[in-house]
Amino acid sequence: MPRPLIYQVEGDCRSKSASVGGMNCPQLLSSMDIEHRSKILDSLWRERQERKYNDIVDILNRSDGNWNQTMHTMLLKFIGGFDNGGAAMRLAERVPYAIIMRERSSKMAIEALLLGASGLLSLYDSNDEYIAHLAQEYIHLSAKYGIEAMDYREWRTSNVRTHNHPTLRLAQLAACYMDSDITMNSVTECRHLADIYKLFSGRASEQWLRHFIPYTIMEETSATFGKMKCELLGINFVAQMIYAYGRHTHSEALCTQAYNLLLSIPAEKNRYTEEWNATSKIASSAIDSQALIQLSREYCHAKRCHVCPLGMNTDSR
């Protein structure tokens, strides 16, 4: 049977563990019976979702209640990642969702909007025919919509993982916006990983497969978001938007849908989950990995053992 959506964790904290491994917390969690452990992890997941929900509502308020613009901002934030999330959100303000939709019949137009307004286009050889066409298209579109380009220095382009270079990610996103009907409705219709793969299956222009790093010819990269990137899109974008929309519209069905979607996605592999899985495999789904990230960041690393859900439940095992 699937795990229930809502659990309440009660009790007083008597745990003295201060960090992962401090009192062998991973072993403590892995030794619990499955039902008890699931209650704790589900509670942590919901706690993390509430924080992310509040972040999304803040963006919704700044977007005058427009869910499509909010979705656009959150999608760009995710595409920007840790290094460029802030710059990507500023780009979403300069090139709003409504403009993207007006120009979505042309991949070059969307690329020109995103790369031109980001300022990144100025990094590339203007003598390259494709770059010259994009630059000319951006001049036309920026005049049409009154867009002022960002300074390219707002973006981190060095010392980032090659496949996370902002130019490549924006080119891939431009293809998705053209090839897929990315709306708030289409996002909330995602119920399985296959739906996410389909929604983000757009293929970037050939230009960017070997030339996304300025003045450098690379080995050809993927034209599409990879399998792992799509899974992360499901965890950190799709499920978040479904939950936030459900929470905001008082739809328990959508909140449950977000939960079930995360339950079907494999657990993330990162430094947080590696710590907790050191003793035995605790995280089997994205629900679990999101819960363990919450536990690590908000309790272990913050030394909040006195209110840690794991410690609060230690005596009731």
Side-chain angles (χ1 to χ4, degrees), residues 11-16 304-308 310-313 315:
D12 296 324
C13 174
R14 296 176 175 83
S15 172
K16 296 181 180 179
R304 296 175 63 222
C305 306
H306 60 292
V307 290
C308 169
L310 178 57
M312 290 168 66
N313 280 263
D315 293 342

Side-chain angles (χ1 to χ4, degrees), residues 7 19 22 58 67 70 79-81 143 167 187-188 204 255 262 275 291 293:
Y7 282 110
S19 62
D58 285 343
W67 276 101
T70 302
I79 295 301
T167 297
V187 169
T188 58
C255 292
L262 288 172
E275 286 179 317
I293 291 171

Side-chain angles (χ1 to χ4, degrees), residues 179-194:
D179 296 343
S180 302
D181 186 24
I182 300 181
T183 65
M184 191 62 203
N185 283 340
S186 66
V187 169
T188 58
E189 288 172 358
C190 290
R191 287 176 170 78
H192 309 284
L193 257 176

Side-chain angles (χ1 to χ4, degrees), residues 33-69:
D33 63 85
I34 294 176
E35 182 179 359
H36 190 193
R37 184 168 68 227
S38 294
K39 288 182 179 180
I40 293 176
L41 294 177
D42 284 359
S43 173
L44 286 162
W45 168 78
R46 176 166 285 276
E47 186 179 296
R48 183 167 172 79
Q49 289 298 115
E50 284 298 302
R51 180 185 64 76
K52 292 189 173 186
Y53 166 71
N54 290 330
D55 292 342
I56 292 173
V57 169
D58 285 343
I59 295 172
L60 179 67
N61 291 335
R62 294 199 303 271
S63 303
D64 297 324
N66 188 318
W67 276 101
N68 279 324
Q69 177 61 27

Side-chain angles (χ1 to χ4, degrees), residues 6-298:
I6 302 174
Y7 282 110
Q8 296 294 329
V9 180
E10 299 176 351
D12 296 324
C13 174
R14 296 176 175 83
S15 172
K16 296 181 180 179
S17 55
S19 62
V20 173
M23 291 290 288
N24 208 357
C25 298
Q27 184 176 13
L28 174 63
L29 190 57
S30 65
S31 67
M32 291 181 176
D33 63 85
I34 294 176
E35 182 179 359
H36 190 193
R37 184 168 68 227
S38 294
K39 288 182 179 180
I40 293 176
L41 294 177
D42 284 359
S43 173
L44 286 162
W45 168 78
R46 176 166 285 276
E47 186 179 296
R48 183 167 172 79
Q49 289 298 115
E50 284 298 302
R51 180 185 64 76
K52 292 189 173 186
Y53 166 71
N54 290 330
D55 292 342
I56 292 173
V57 169
D58 285 343
I59 295 172
L60 179 67
N61 291 335
R62 294 199 303 271
S63 303
D64 297 324
N66 188 318
W67 276 101
N68 279 324
Q69 177 61 27
T70 302
M71 175 212 67
H72 175 59
T73 302
M74 288 298 297
L75 179 53
L76 273 162
K77 178 184 178 182
F78 173 78
I79 295 301
F82 178 79
D83 295 311
N84 287 303
M89 291 177 74
R90 293 191 292 275
L91 177 59
E93 294 179 356
R94 295 191 183 225
V95 186
Y97 179 82
I99 291 177
I100 293 288
M101 290 299 101
R102 289 188 198 120
E103 303 295 337
R104 70 178 291 248
S105 61
S106 167
K107 186 185 295 184
M108 177 164 279
I110 302 176
E111 282 186 13
L113 283 166
L114 293 176
L115 294 173
S118 70
L120 293 170
L121 197 58
S122 64
L123 296 175
Y124 296 87
D125 184 359
S126 60
N127 293 318
D128 181 286
E129 183 178 357
Y130 191 88
I131 299 298
H133 283 164
L134 275 183
Q136 193 61 39
E137 182 74 2
Y138 175 66
I139 289 172
H140 164 69
L141 292 170
S142 63
K144 180 179 178 180
Y145 294 112
I147 300 171
E148 183 178 349
M150 298 168 63
D151 188 323
Y152 72 87
R153 289 170 293 188
E154 295 182 54
W155 299 84
R156 182 175 178 181
T157 57
S158 60
N159 297 321
V160 297
R161 291 183 179 180
T162 303
H163 292 167
N164 279 334
H165 192 281
T167 297
L168 176 62
R169 290 307 190 194
L170 290 176
Q172 290 170 331
L173 180 59
C176 291
Y177 267 135
M178 178 185 171
D179 296 343
S180 302
D181 186 24
I182 300 181
T183 65
M184 191 62 203
N185 283 340
S186 66
V187 169
T188 58
E189 288 172 358
C190 290
R191 287 176 170 78
H192 309 284
L193 257 176
D195 299 326
I196 298 170
Y197 294 144
K198 183 178 180 181
L199 194 62
F200 295 101
S201 60
R203 298 181 61 82
S205 302
E206 293 293 322
Q207 168 74 18
W208 303 112
L209 303 192
R210 299 185 67 196
H211 300 88
F212 59 89
I213 295 181
Y215 296 95
T216 304
I217 299 176
M218 311 287 296
E219 291 187 8
E220 188 165 309
T221 190
S222 173
T224 63
F225 292 124
K227 179 177 180 290
M228 183 176 294
K229 192 68 174 179
C230 283
E231 290 177 358
L232 291 174
L233 272 163
I235 296 168
N236 295 298
F237 169 68
V238 176
Q240 305 303 330
M241 294 307 301
I242 294 173
Y243 180 87
Y245 191 69
R247 175 85 162 70
H248 200 71
T249 59
H250 308 289
S251 171
E252 189 63 27
L254 283 176
C255 292
T256 302
Q257 179 183 326
Y259 177 92
N260 289 334
L261 177 61
L262 288 172
L263 203 60
S264 71
I265 299 176
E268 299 147 277
K269 294 181 180 180
N270 53 44
R271 63 190 179 94
Y272 300 108
T273 57
E274 285 176 0
E275 286 179 317
W276 288 101
N277 285 335
T279 301
S280 63
K281 186 175 181 180
I282 296 172
S284 59
S285 73
I287 289 287
D288 299 330
S289 58
Q290 286 285 291
L292 293 176
I293 291 171
Q294 178 72 7
L295 182 58
S296 295
R297 287 182 176 178
E298 301 300 326

